[in-house]
Amino acid sequence: MSIPVRPINESYLDFDFFQFISTSQSSKSLGMMREITVKKNEYLYNPSTEHLYMYEILEGAVKLGSYTEDGEEFTFDVLFKKDFFGDLKYLNNQFFEYSKALIDTRVRIYNRDFFKKMVVQTPEVSEWFISYLVKRWCSTEKKLKKLHEKKAQEKLVFLSTYFDLNVKDANGKSFNLNDLLTQKDIGDLIGVTRQTVANSSKVKLK
């Protein structure tokens, strides 16, 4: 049996954090969340933002990244529907990233302290969130493993498979996730240069 390219936390595929807290904590959750739409290429936050929230993607896709010492952007992750991200404030102000919408993206914003309280104090939420973090951790490990492949072509094939997913923007328009990534994004994600990606002739990349 072949191993899936992406890890899956099957036991929690149907768990809906928003639905759970809206039902079980309706009075306490009032005013602790809201929804916004972030336009394509707009930043949801950057390192200088006061990070007070956690974010859930409802529709769309977001890339997370940071900056080199020369101030150049680089991408280290790409997230889409049902993904959560933000600063949980456990790293003593070492959180230094930006989030940028790849397409028009609808996001639900949670008050960070409320989100953390729900995770810590509610067993059902704790189990779900731990499973989600393990899935993200496993996903990162899979990509890191590919950084050590000897051939750039193998890395590119892996990434094109990994991001061969359809996503919808906030307006309902469908996109293939591969098509939303630039050569620079792809190079950043697998540790090769943009030129190496551009010279690839066997993988269809933007």
Short mmCIF file of all heavy atoms in Angstrom, two decimals, residues 75-76 140-152 154-156 158-159 186-192:
data_model
loop_
_atom_site.label_atom_id
_atom_site.label_comp_id
_atom_site.label_asym_id
_atom_site.label_seq_id
_atom_site.Cartn_x
_atom_site.Cartn_y
_atom_site.Cartn_z
N THR A 75 9.69 31.83 1.23
CA THR A 75 8.49 31.08 1.60
C THR A 75 8.87 29.79 2.29
O THR A 75 9.74 29.07 1.81
CB THR A 75 7.65 30.76 0.34
OG1 THR A 75 7.31 31.98 -0.32
CG2 THR A 75 6.39 30.00 0.69
N PHE A 76 8.21 29.47 3.42
CA PHE A 76 8.50 28.19 4.06
C PHE A 76 7.27 27.31 4.25
O PHE A 76 7.40 26.16 4.67
CB PHE A 76 9.24 28.36 5.39
CG PHE A 76 8.60 29.28 6.39
CD1 PHE A 76 7.41 28.96 7.02
CD2 PHE A 76 9.24 30.46 6.75
CE1 PHE A 76 6.85 29.80 7.97
CE2 PHE A 76 8.69 31.31 7.70
CZ PHE A 76 7.48 30.98 8.31
N THR A 140 5.86 18.83 7.62
CA THR A 140 7.15 19.52 7.56
C THR A 140 8.30 18.53 7.43
O THR A 140 9.25 18.75 6.66
CB THR A 140 7.35 20.38 8.82
OG1 THR A 140 6.30 21.36 8.88
CG2 THR A 140 8.69 21.08 8.79
N GLU A 141 8.21 17.42 8.16
CA GLU A 141 9.27 16.40 8.09
C GLU A 141 9.37 15.81 6.69
O GLU A 141 10.47 15.55 6.19
CB GLU A 141 8.99 15.29 9.10
CG GLU A 141 9.25 15.70 10.54
CD GLU A 141 8.95 14.58 11.52
OE1 GLU A 141 8.11 13.71 11.20
OE2 GLU A 141 9.57 14.57 12.59
N LYS A 142 8.24 15.59 6.04
CA LYS A 142 8.24 15.05 4.68
C LYS A 142 8.97 16.00 3.73
O LYS A 142 9.78 15.58 2.89
CB LYS A 142 6.80 14.83 4.19
CG LYS A 142 6.15 13.57 4.72
CD LYS A 142 4.69 13.49 4.25
CE LYS A 142 4.06 12.17 4.65
NZ LYS A 142 4.46 11.07 3.76
N LYS A 143 8.69 17.30 3.88
CA LYS A 143 9.35 18.27 3.01
C LYS A 143 10.85 18.39 3.33
O LYS A 143 11.68 18.50 2.42
CB LYS A 143 8.65 19.63 3.13
CG LYS A 143 7.31 19.67 2.40
CD LYS A 143 6.64 21.02 2.52
CE LYS A 143 6.01 21.24 3.86
NZ LYS A 143 5.19 22.46 3.95
N LEU A 144 11.19 18.34 4.62
CA LEU A 144 12.60 18.41 5.00
C LEU A 144 13.38 17.21 4.45
O LEU A 144 14.54 17.33 4.04
CB LEU A 144 12.74 18.48 6.51
CG LEU A 144 12.38 19.81 7.16
CD1 LEU A 144 12.41 19.69 8.67
CD2 LEU A 144 13.32 20.92 6.69
N LYS A 145 12.76 16.04 4.47
CA LYS A 145 13.41 14.85 3.92
C LYS A 145 13.79 15.07 2.46
O LYS A 145 14.87 14.69 2.01
CB LYS A 145 12.49 13.64 4.04
CG LYS A 145 13.04 12.37 3.42
CD LYS A 145 12.05 11.22 3.56
CE LYS A 145 12.59 9.96 2.87
NZ LYS A 145 12.72 10.10 1.41
N LYS A 146 12.89 15.72 1.73
CA LYS A 146 13.15 15.94 0.31
C LYS A 146 14.27 16.95 0.08
O LYS A 146 14.87 16.99 -0.99
CB LYS A 146 11.87 16.40 -0.39
CG LYS A 146 10.87 15.26 -0.61
CD LYS A 146 11.46 14.19 -1.51
CE LYS A 146 10.59 12.96 -1.58
NZ LYS A 146 11.17 11.91 -2.45
N LEU A 147 14.55 17.77 1.08
CA LEU A 147 15.66 18.71 0.95
C LEU A 147 16.99 17.97 0.78
O LEU A 147 17.96 18.52 0.26
CB LEU A 147 15.73 19.62 2.17
CG LEU A 147 14.68 20.72 2.29
CD1 LEU A 147 14.85 21.46 3.61
CD2 LEU A 147 14.76 21.69 1.13
N HIS A 148 17.03 16.73 1.24
CA HIS A 148 18.27 15.96 1.21
C HIS A 148 18.34 14.99 0.03
O HIS A 148 19.29 14.21 -0.06
CB HIS A 148 18.44 15.21 2.54
CG HIS A 148 18.57 16.11 3.72
ND1 HIS A 148 19.73 16.78 4.04
CD2 HIS A 148 17.66 16.50 4.64
CE1 HIS A 148 19.54 17.52 5.11
NE2 HIS A 148 18.29 17.37 5.50
N GLU A 149 17.34 15.04 -0.84
CA GLU A 149 17.43 14.25 -2.07
C GLU A 149 18.59 14.76 -2.91
O GLU A 149 18.86 15.96 -2.97
CB GLU A 149 16.13 14.34 -2.88
CG GLU A 149 14.91 13.73 -2.18
CD GLU A 149 14.91 12.21 -2.24
OE1 GLU A 149 15.87 11.63 -2.77
OE2 GLU A 149 13.95 11.61 -1.75
N LYS A 150 19.28 13.86 -3.57
CA LYS A 150 20.47 14.26 -4.33
C LYS A 150 20.12 15.06 -5.59
O LYS A 150 20.85 15.93 -6.00
CB LYS A 150 21.28 13.02 -4.71
CG LYS A 150 21.91 12.32 -3.51
CD LYS A 150 22.75 11.14 -3.93
CE LYS A 150 23.40 10.47 -2.73
NZ LYS A 150 24.23 9.30 -3.11
N LYS A 151 18.99 14.74 -6.19
CA LYS A 151 18.65 15.37 -7.47
C LYS A 151 17.53 16.39 -7.29
O LYS A 151 16.51 16.12 -6.68
CB LYS A 151 18.23 14.30 -8.48
CG LYS A 151 19.35 13.32 -8.82
CD LYS A 151 18.86 12.31 -9.84
CE LYS A 151 19.98 11.32 -10.20
NZ LYS A 151 19.53 10.29 -11.17
N ALA A 152 17.75 17.56 -7.86
CA ALA A 152 16.73 18.61 -7.79
C ALA A 152 15.44 18.15 -8.45
O ALA A 152 14.34 18.52 -8.01
CB ALA A 152 17.25 19.87 -8.47
N GLU A 154 14.04 15.26 -8.40
CA GLU A 154 13.24 14.47 -7.47
C GLU A 154 12.48 15.38 -6.51
O GLU A 154 11.33 15.13 -6.15
CB GLU A 154 14.14 13.51 -6.69
CG GLU A 154 14.76 12.43 -7.55
CD GLU A 154 15.79 11.61 -6.79
OE1 GLU A 154 16.05 11.95 -5.61
OE2 GLU A 154 16.30 10.64 -7.36
N LYS A 155 13.12 16.46 -6.09
CA LYS A 155 12.47 17.42 -5.21
C LYS A 155 11.29 18.09 -5.92
O LYS A 155 10.22 18.27 -5.33
CB LYS A 155 13.47 18.50 -4.77
CG LYS A 155 14.69 17.97 -4.02
CD LYS A 155 15.61 19.12 -3.67
CE LYS A 155 16.89 18.64 -3.02
NZ LYS A 155 17.79 19.74 -2.64
N LEU A 156 11.51 18.44 -7.17
CA LEU A 156 10.46 19.12 -7.93
C LEU A 156 9.28 18.22 -8.19
O LEU A 156 8.12 18.65 -8.13
CB LEU A 156 11.04 19.65 -9.24
CG LEU A 156 12.08 20.77 -9.08
CD1 LEU A 156 12.78 21.04 -10.41
CD2 LEU A 156 11.42 22.04 -8.57
N PHE A 158 8.35 15.70 -6.30
CA PHE A 158 7.65 15.58 -5.02
C PHE A 158 6.76 16.79 -4.77
O PHE A 158 5.58 16.65 -4.40
CB PHE A 158 8.66 15.44 -3.88
CG PHE A 158 8.06 15.63 -2.52
CD1 PHE A 158 7.33 14.62 -1.91
CD2 PHE A 158 8.21 16.85 -1.85
CE1 PHE A 158 6.76 14.80 -0.66
CE2 PHE A 158 7.63 17.03 -0.59
CZ PHE A 158 6.92 16.01 0.00
N LEU A 159 7.30 17.99 -4.96
CA LEU A 159 6.53 19.19 -4.64
C LEU A 159 5.34 19.35 -5.56
O LEU A 159 4.26 19.78 -5.14
CB LEU A 159 7.43 20.43 -4.71
CG LEU A 159 6.94 21.60 -3.83
CD1 LEU A 159 7.06 21.22 -2.36
CD2 LEU A 159 7.72 22.86 -4.13
N ILE A 186 8.70 27.90 -5.04
CA ILE A 186 9.05 26.48 -5.15
C ILE A 186 10.50 26.25 -4.75
O ILE A 186 10.82 25.31 -4.01
CB ILE A 186 8.79 25.98 -6.59
CG1 ILE A 186 7.29 26.02 -6.87
CG2 ILE A 186 9.33 24.57 -6.79
CD1 ILE A 186 6.93 25.86 -8.33
N GLY A 187 11.38 27.10 -5.22
CA GLY A 187 12.78 26.98 -4.86
C GLY A 187 12.99 27.12 -3.36
O GLY A 187 13.76 26.36 -2.76
N ASP A 188 12.29 28.08 -2.75
CA ASP A 188 12.40 28.27 -1.30
C ASP A 188 11.96 27.02 -0.54
O ASP A 188 12.59 26.61 0.44
CB ASP A 188 11.53 29.45 -0.84
CG ASP A 188 12.07 30.79 -1.30
OD1 ASP A 188 13.23 30.86 -1.71
OD2 ASP A 188 11.31 31.78 -1.23
N LEU A 189 10.87 26.42 -0.99
CA LEU A 189 10.27 25.30 -0.27
C LEU A 189 11.12 24.04 -0.29
O LEU A 189 11.05 23.22 0.62
CB LEU A 189 8.88 25.00 -0.84
CG LEU A 189 7.79 26.02 -0.49
CD1 LEU A 189 6.58 25.85 -1.40
CD2 LEU A 189 7.37 25.88 0.96
N ILE A 190 11.92 23.87 -1.34
CA ILE A 190 12.72 22.63 -1.43
C ILE A 190 14.21 22.89 -1.50
O ILE A 190 15.00 21.99 -1.76
CB ILE A 190 12.28 21.76 -2.63
CG1 ILE A 190 12.34 22.56 -3.93
CG2 ILE A 190 10.91 21.17 -2.40
CD1 ILE A 190 12.06 21.72 -5.16
N GLY A 191 14.63 24.13 -1.24
CA GLY A 191 16.05 24.40 -1.11
C GLY A 191 16.84 24.36 -2.39
O GLY A 191 17.99 23.90 -2.39
N VAL A 192 16.24 24.82 -3.49
CA VAL A 192 16.99 24.95 -4.74
C VAL A 192 16.83 26.39 -5.23
O VAL A 192 15.98 27.13 -4.75
CB VAL A 192 16.49 23.96 -5.82
CG1 VAL A 192 16.64 22.53 -5.34
CG2 VAL A 192 15.06 24.23 -6.23
#
